[in-house]
Amino acid sequence: MALEKSHSLFTLLFCLVMLSFTSTTANSGEAEALLLWKASLLNQAPLNSWSLNKATNKSPCNWTGVACNYEGSVTEINLTNVGLQGKLDNFKFSYFPSLTNLDLSNNALFGTIPSTLGNLTNLATLYLHHNILSGPIPKEIGDLKNMVQLDMSSNILTDSIPSTLGDLNKLVLLYLFNNSLSGPIPKEIGNLKNMVELHLSGNLLTGPIPPSLGDLKNLTSLQLCQNHLLGSLPQEIQSLTNLVILDLAENHLSGYLPQQIFEGKFLKKFVIFNNQLTGPIPKSLRNCTSLIRVRLEGNQLTGNMSEDFGVYPNLTYIDLSYNRLFGELSPSWAKSKNLTSLKFSGNLITGKIPQEFGQLIQLRVLNLSLNCLVGEIPQELGCLASLFNMILYGNQLSGRIPLEIGKLSNLELLDLSANNLIGSIPEQLGDCSKLHSLNLSRNHLNGSIPFQIGNLAELQNTLDLSGNMLSGEISPQLGNLHMLEILNLSHNMLTGSIPSSLEVMLSLTSVDLSYNNLVGSLPNGNAFQKGTFVGNKGLCGKSQDLQPCNSSPIHSGEQKKIHKAIILIILPLLSALFLLLLVFAISSIYHRKTKIAKEERNEMNRYPFLIWNWDGCISYEDIINATEDFDEKHCIGEGGYGRVYKAALQTGQVVAVKKLHKLEDGEQIDQKSFINEVQALTEIRHRNIVKLYGFCSHRRCMFLVYEYMERGNLANILYNEEGARELNWVKRVNIIKTVAHSLSYMHHDCVPPIVHRDISSNNVLLDSEFEPHVSDFGTARLLKPDSCNWTELAGTFGYVAPELGYTMRVTEKCDVYSFGVLALEVIIGTHPGDIISSLPSSKSGQNLQLKDLFDPRLPHPEDQVGNEVILAVSVALACINANPQTRPTMEHISRKISAGTPHFLKPFHTVELSQLMEFQL
Ligand SMILES: *[C@@H]1O[C@H](CO)[C@@H](O)[C@H](O)[C@H]1NC(C)=O
Ligand SMILES: *[C@@H]1O[C@H](CO)[C@@H](O)[C@H](O)[C@H]1NC(C)=O
Ligand SMILES: *[C@@H]1O[C@H](CO)[C@@H](O)[C@H](O)[C@H]1NC(C)=O
Ligand SMILES: *[C@@H]1O[C@H](CO)[C@@H](O)[C@H](O)[C@H]1NC(C)=O
């Protein structure tokens, strides 16, 4: 202690003495070099303090992010996340002999890394991560002999990793992940004996893992995932006994796992999924109790489930799916009390599901599908209070479905299909109120479908009860499943008529009621005309499978049934019934006019249409008639790619028709956007994405037929006094949230991901309930993961991410930017153009208040919705970060805003925007 004190006193004295000598000779060359670089940047605002005026005494030492030693020479430049845009070419590295730390991370620097970087011979840390730097890593990097930490991750660097890196023998940390580096991992990296963390994931690296990596005895983290690495794991890797994280996933590694690979005492994350590894699970795995996360899925490993695994008290995530594991499940998995995901799908596991699994109270995902499990589903699984997904399909499970499953109040996905389950469907399943998808198909279930299934209002994806022995009538309550998209009750013994209450299931895209004993006529509604009904002797209606009905479709019998339903359960049905009557009223009006006939279909075939998702009800003629050959008076809008018409078809259905522009210099551009739009849309099924019914490519014109949205686009409503007032804060927050969820769906749930590329308030349509639907995929393009995405500039001015100005690399992050602009627009009530350009500077000084942002046409938001607005603004600000890599992903945003709002302590009217910008997403 005393020693330290006297030491620091001495340092202080020394500094003072030195300062008196050197303060006048402060290195003006450094200041000038910095100013030269500043001048080359696209935006100088973040470096406002960098200037040679008044008292600065030609020293840069007081400038933002700059630190000097007592000789007045620059030792540190820290400009992380200040919004820099520009190149490094004009950075005169040779002027900074004393520089030890250079941190330019989290900006939007582009261009190449100059080889003159090699002049910074004292550099100990170099952080260039999260920029847009391209080109090779200069080999001169090997001259930086004092380098300790080097992070160039998340750029777009190319070429091979220079072997000169092997000269940096003080290096402790090397992060080059998320670039486009190719070629082999240089064996010289094995020289870096001090290395602790080596992360080269997410590149295009080829060749084997060099055995020399086994020399890095201090390594705690080795991450090489998502490359094209080949060959087997070198035995030498077993000597890395300090490893905490080993991630080699998604390569082409083959051969056996080294037997002692799990002998390190510290190993927490072992991740090797999606390789071609074979051979037995190493015996050393059994005693490796430190494990937290284990992912072995998608290899060809063999092993005995009951012998090769031990007890892992810290385990939170294990995925062994799609290997060749056999033997029985051990009850000791239940000792991993913190387990949230247990996925053993696609192996050869036999025996029963241990009842002890019911003790895994943290478990969220249980997937034992596609194995050879027998016996009953333990009722103890009803104790898994946190469970989201229970996936047990494709086994030989028998007995009844335990009633206790009804206690799983968080369950979103239940798939027990393709087993040998018997008995009836427990009505308690109707209590699983968060279910999105329910699949009990291909079992031996009998009895009727409990009407409580109609309580599952969140059921959105699938209700599949096909391939059982279900009897009785279809409950009219199923009509309450307004969000359901796929209904399959085929291959059962259902009787009676199809309740007309099902007409109001407007989200349905697929209905299969084939092979039952149903009678009567089909309900109205598109999905029913496209559905499958073969094998029902008594059904009639407008479907290719059926005879047309001879009499009016409104049977008195059906009406009776409705009366019965009203009496049985008046309250829950009142709302559905109201809709129902409405549909009846409309349908009886238009039915008089309708004469759906075969001639019309033949007519349709005469035109050389390209037809996709054709629902058989709309023909070219229908569209031409309904729009009076695209008469002005039916035009409801105009977009970049064409005009939009409202077409009220003879069938009573209203659709939106987008007629694409014909350009002078040929149809090529149109054709391209046309096909793009269609391709993207046919792959999307989401209730907040505008549905495409069909399209036509004809010599005379090209058009797309869409779901019609009553209230038109968001811009029109927002820019209209009355509309803006009707769009209160609750509705606005809902719009932001819903668009976020839809984009997250497109980016993260579609394979390949779909980038919209033109999100703006013109492309968000609202239905009668002000529920938003994302439209206009004219510029969307399938993002093939391995094709490059350089393309001509697209999008709407004012929403286009800044990097598209100079890189043309379209990524999901471009949509994130546009989403941020859109979200601000919804809050402000007008396009936030000026605010966006003033943002980088507002961070360092001039303080914009949050309350200045709110649309003045509404009273300020308060309480809960106020908090949600603040969260939305924070998210939006993160989205419009100039650096694409610093923007959050839509998935992250979507999760963030549905996770409930944080509580903001300060009253709204005192919150400053800069505070929100620091808010950690
Ligand atoms: C640096 O700033 C401090 C206070 O902010 C000031 O007292 C000092 O004179 C400045 N030094 C130079 C060299 O400008
Ligand atoms: C695992 O640990 C047990 C008890 O410590 C020991 O008896 C056994 O030999 C170990 N097994 C392996 C494969 O190291
Ligand atoms: C389980 O998780 C809790 C909370 O995250 C943590 O405090 C506890 O240490 C964990 N237990 C084990 C055995 O890892
Ligand atoms: C409905 O289920 C049956 C049997 O499970 C299956 O064969 C059929 O393809 C399914 N229908 C649709 C439209 O997917």
Side-chain angles (χ1 to χ4, degrees):
M1 209 51 190
L3 197 72
E4 252 177 56
K5 226 182 218 160
S6 65
H7 176 78
S8 58
L9 199 67
F10 173 77
T11 316
L12 191 70
L13 277 174
F14 183 75
C15 289
L16 286 174
V17 172
M18 288 306 291
L19 203 64
S20 60
F21 280 116
T22 57
S23 62
T24 47
T25 62
N27 198 332
S28 64
E30 291 182 327
E32 276 153 20
L34 288 175
L35 289 178
L36 192 69
W37 180 57
K38 175 189 171 186
S40 77
L41 297 174
L42 299 188
N43 61 335
Q44 274 118 42
L47 304 181
N48 269 341
S49 70
W50 288 24
S51 67
L52 279 181
N53 58 17
K54 11 170 188 154
T56 53
N57 205 8
K58 293 201 172 176
S59 156
C61 299
N62 260 13
W63 294 358
T64 306
V66 178
C68 299
N69 57 13
Y70 38 78
E71 289 148 352
S73 188
V74 174
T75 54
E76 222 172 280
I77 300 175
N78 179 349
L79 295 173
T80 183
N81 201 14
V82 297
L84 297 177
Q85 300 178 24
K87 299 188 171 196
L88 291 175
D89 295 357
N90 286 311
F91 205 120
K92 299 276 176 257
F93 293 109
S94 54
Y95 281 68
F96 302 93
S98 313
L99 195 62
T100 56
N101 300 329
L102 177 58
D103 184 353
L104 303 176
S105 63
N106 293 298
N107 285 296
L109 298 173
F110 53 95
T112 55
I113 301 176
S115 55
T116 51
L117 190 75
N119 292 325
L120 297 172
T121 46
N122 276 312
L123 207 60
T125 51
L126 175 58
Y127 291 159
L128 297 176
H129 52 277
H130 283 109
N131 278 292
I132 320 168
L133 296 166
S134 53
I137 300 173
K139 64 178 190 313
E140 289 78 3
I141 197 118
D143 300 340
L144 306 178
K145 298 281 189 298
N146 287 304
M147 187 82 82
V148 178
Q149 302 197 358
L150 175 57
D151 188 349
M152 296 186 171
S153 62
S154 296
N155 280 289
I156 42 182
L157 299 170
T158 51
D159 290 18
S160 49
I161 300 177
S163 55
T164 52
L165 275 179
D167 300 340
L168 307 183
N169 50 31
K170 292 187 183 165
L171 207 59
V172 165
L173 176 147
L174 177 59
Y175 285 179
L176 300 177
F177 58 89
N178 291 351
N179 278 292
S180 302
L181 298 166
S182 53
I185 300 175
K187 62 176 189 310
E188 290 80 0
I189 289 195
N191 301 341
L192 306 175
K193 301 286 188 292
N194 293 306
M195 186 84 85
V196 174
E197 295 187 34
L198 176 60
H199 293 195
L200 308 177
S201 305
N203 281 292
L204 307 164
L205 300 172
T206 52
I209 298 177
S212 63
L213 294 193
D215 297 340
L216 305 178
K217 298 283 188 282
N218 292 318
L219 212 56
T220 64
S221 176
L222 175 60
Q223 303 194 33
L224 307 176
C225 69
Q226 292 179 313
N227 278 294
H228 304 308
L229 299 172
L230 283 172
S232 52
L233 298 191
Q235 294 294 319
E236 287 78 359
I237 216 165
Q238 297 177 118
S239 19
L240 301 178
T241 50
N242 286 310
L243 272 188
V244 177
I245 301 176
L246 178 64
D247 188 348
L248 308 175
E250 299 184 277
N251 279 292
H252 309 299
L253 299 168
S254 55
Y256 283 25
L257 286 174
Q259 279 301 303
Q260 274 99 46
I261 196 159
F262 292 104
E263 282 192 351
K265 290 185 184 58
F266 310 107
L267 195 60
K268 291 183 175 166
K269 297 188 185 172
F270 186 84
V271 180
I272 55 163
F273 66 89
N274 293 356
N275 278 291
Q276 289 130 35
L277 295 160
T278 54
I281 301 268
K283 291 286 174 253
S284 55
L285 175 55
R286 205 180 149 86
N287 279 359
C288 189
T289 52
S290 51
L291 287 169
I292 291 179
R293 190 175 176 87
V294 177
R295 295 190 62 178
L296 311 183
E297 75 267 23
N299 284 290
Q300 292 142 41
L301 300 169
T302 54
N304 187 333
M305 287 303 293
S306 41
E307 290 171 6
D308 293 344
F309 297 89
V311 172
Y312 310 99
N314 306 315
L315 196 65
T316 62
Y317 189 108
I318 184 160
D319 194 341
L320 307 177
S321 305
Y322 303 103
N323 278 292
R324 298 187 182 147
L325 304 172
F326 53 89
E328 302 195 359
L329 293 172
S330 154
S332 22
W333 289 112
K335 295 183 182 151
S336 304
K337 289 276 182 271
N338 279 3
L339 205 54
T340 59
S341 285
L342 185 145
K343 304 183 186 177
F344 296 167
S345 177
N347 282 291
L348 306 161
I349 304 172
T350 50
K352 298 185 175 184
I353 302 175
Q355 65 187 49
E356 288 82 356
F357 277 23
Q359 298 161 13
L360 292 168
I361 50 170
Q362 304 279 352
L363 202 62
R364 289 180 168 67
V365 176
L366 174 64
N367 188 344
L368 303 174
S369 60
L370 298 171
N371 279 294
C372 315
L373 294 167
V374 295
E376 300 196 2
I377 299 173
Q379 65 185 53
E380 286 79 2
L381 296 192
C383 305
L384 299 173
S386 312
L387 204 63
F388 292 151
N389 295 352
M390 183 189 288
I391 308 169
L392 304 177
Y393 67 86
N395 281 290
Q396 289 144 38
L397 297 168
S398 54
R400 294 169 165 272
I401 299 174
L403 314 183
E404 288 76 6
I405 289 187
K407 292 193 291 187
L408 299 176
S409 56
N410 285 308
L411 201 61
E412 294 183 355
L413 170 63
L414 177 61
D415 192 341
L416 307 178
S417 62
N419 278 293
N420 299 324
L421 300 170
I422 56 164
S424 53
I425 299 176
E427 59 189 51
Q428 285 83 349
L429 285 190
D431 298 338
C432 297
S433 57
K434 292 195 182 154
L435 268 187
H436 279 195
S437 185
L438 173 61
N439 193 343
L440 305 177
S441 66
R442 289 169 290 150
N443 279 290
H444 310 299
L445 301 170
N446 57 23
S448 57
I449 301 172
F451 73 85
Q452 289 88 345
I453 297 295
N455 298 343
L456 298 172
E458 296 281 316
L459 214 53
Q460 179 178 352
N461 198 305
T462 306
L463 173 60
D464 190 348
L465 307 177
S466 65
N468 281 292
M469 299 178 307
L470 299 170
S471 55
E473 299 198 359
I474 298 174
S475 149
Q477 279 88 340
L478 290 193
N480 293 346
L481 305 176
H482 292 262
M483 307 207 287
L484 191 67
E485 298 186 352
I486 300 173
L487 175 67
N488 194 344
L489 305 177
S490 69
H491 298 273
N492 278 296
M493 294 160 3
L494 299 168
T495 52
S497 58
I498 304 173
S500 42
S501 61
L502 302 197
E503 274 174 15
V504 297
M505 300 172 72
L506 294 178
S507 300
L508 276 183
T509 55
S510 160
V511 179
D512 189 347
L513 302 178
S514 58
Y515 300 101
N516 279 291
N517 301 320
L518 299 167
V519 296
S521 64
L522 288 188
N524 288 307
N526 265 321
F528 286 93
Q529 272 135 48
K530 283 184 288 186
T532 312
F533 303 98
V534 289
N536 285 287
K537 293 222 173 57
L539 273 183
C540 67
K542 294 186 296 189
S543 159
Q544 55 186 18
D545 294 343
L546 303 176
Q547 297 293 323
C549 304
N550 353 352
S551 58
S552 153
I554 302 168
H555 290 303
S556 53
E558 271 187 42
Q559 298 237 346
K560 247 185 238 153
K561 218 167 289 143
I562 289 155
H563 284 306
K564 213 167 88 189
I566 294 171
I567 293 160
L568 277 176
I569 27 126
I570 296 172
L571 277 180
L573 263 190
L574 264 184
S575 55
L577 198 75
F578 174 70
L579 272 173
L580 195 73
L581 290 176
L582 207 69
V583 174
F584 269 157
I586 296 168
S587 78
S588 61
I589 291 167
Y590 73 71
H591 205 86
R592 255 175 274 135
K593 299 187 205 160
T594 316
K595 253 195 177 176
I596 272 290
K598 281 187 183 147
E599 305 105 79
E600 238 181 61
R601 276 198 209 146
N602 294 341
E603 187 84 341
M604 188 186 92
N605 291 337
R606 283 217 304 269
Y607 292 99
F609 295 163
L610 264 169
I611 296 166
W612 235 306
N613 273 4
W614 188 260
D615 85 345
C617 294
I618 311 168
S619 76
Y620 176 78
E621 300 283 80
D622 286 338
I623 299 291
I624 298 297
N625 290 343
T627 58
E628 298 175 58
D629 203 5
F630 299 105
D631 191 283
E632 276 308 291
K633 68 172 180 257
H634 297 285
C635 181
I636 51 172
E638 174 138 27
Y641 292 86
R643 314 187 84 186
V644 186
Y645 298 82
K646 176 178 176 180
L649 301 177
Q650 279 196 338
T651 57
Q653 198 181 7
V654 180
V655 295
V657 180
K658 183 190 274 182
K659 182 169 181 273
L660 297 161
H661 289 318
K662 252 200 171 119
L663 294 186
E664 293 287 314
D665 53 3
E667 294 174 6
Q668 232 150 8
I669 297 162
D670 274 354
Q671 194 83 28
K672 189 172 153 200
S673 76
F674 188 78
I675 299 299
N676 273 349
E677 183 151 16
V678 171
Q679 237 178 357
L681 267 182
T682 52
E683 280 165 43
I684 296 171
R685 262 223 317 262
H686 187 282
R687 80 195 134 95
N688 293 105
I689 294 174
V690 174
K691 284 199 178 76
L692 175 68
Y693 291 135
F695 82 95
C696 150
S697 174
H698 185 252
R699 203 165 19 81
R700 269 174 65 200
C701 67
M702 294 200 290
F703 58 77
L704 295 151
V705 183
Y706 286 109
E707 190 178 10
Y708 175 71
M709 290 290 146
E710 288 82 349
R711 293 190 187 263
N713 71 39
L714 175 62
N716 281 345
I717 295 185
L718 220 44
Y719 297 143
N720 157 318
E721 256 334 274
E722 201 182 319
R725 267 196 300 270
E726 200 168 352
L727 212 54
N728 62 26
W729 288 114
V730 174
K731 290 187 181 121
R732 292 188 191 207
V733 167
N734 179 55
I735 288 170
I736 295 172
K737 283 184 177 179
T738 309
V739 172
H741 295 321
S742 314
L743 284 174
S744 167
Y745 172 83
M746 292 198 291
H747 291 178
H748 303 284
D749 297 331
C750 292
V751 182
I754 296 169
V755 177
H756 187 294
R757 303 181 71 215
D758 192 13
I759 291 290
S760 77
S761 55
N762 284 313
N763 293 331
V764 173
L765 307 184
L766 302 181
D767 65 17
S768 55
E769 313 277 285
F770 289 99
E771 186 72 14
H773 299 250
V774 182
S775 145
D776 200 344
F777 287 78
T779 58
R781 187 188 122 113
L782 294 183
L783 241 197
K784 293 254 163 52
D786 47 11
S787 74
C788 59
N789 303 305
W790 302 68
T791 172
E792 70 264 43
L793 190 54
T796 301
F797 183 73
Y799 296 86
V800 177
E803 68 271 18
L804 285 182
Y806 45 84
T807 72
M808 295 292 179
R809 200 165 102 125
V810 175
T811 66
E812 287 92 336
K813 293 298 180 69
C814 305
D815 278 358
V816 173
Y817 182 91
S818 312
F819 168 78
V821 178
L822 175 78
L824 285 178
E825 185 177 4
V826 170
I827 304 282
I828 302 172
T830 148
H831 190 278
D834 298 342
I835 292 172
I836 292 177
S837 48
S838 70
L839 277 179
S841 54
S842 71
K843 194 173 178 188
S844 55
Q846 153 210 348
N847 274 325
L848 210 54
Q849 300 269 312
L850 174 69
K851 67 175 160 53
D852 300 336
L853 279 191
F854 296 150
D855 188 339
R857 295 166 296 185
L858 292 183
H860 282 185
E862 280 176 5
D863 305 328
Q864 176 57 19
V865 74
N867 274 327
E868 295 195 81
V869 170
I870 296 186
L871 180 63
V873 174
S874 322
V875 167
L877 291 176
C879 291
I880 59 172
N881 193 308
N883 181 344
Q885 268 116 0
T886 312
R887 290 173 210 147
T889 64
M890 283 318 300
E891 190 177 32
H892 190 82
I893 296 165
S894 169
R895 240 184 286 128
K896 190 85 207 166
I897 59 182
S898 44
T901 39
H903 190 66
F904 291 92
L905 291 173
K906 300 183 78 175
F908 305 136
H909 57 270
T910 65
V911 177
E912 284 163 9
L913 273 196
S914 53
Q915 293 169 315
L916 294 184
M917 291 179 73
E918 282 147 28
F919 177 75
Q920 273 301 311
L921 273 183

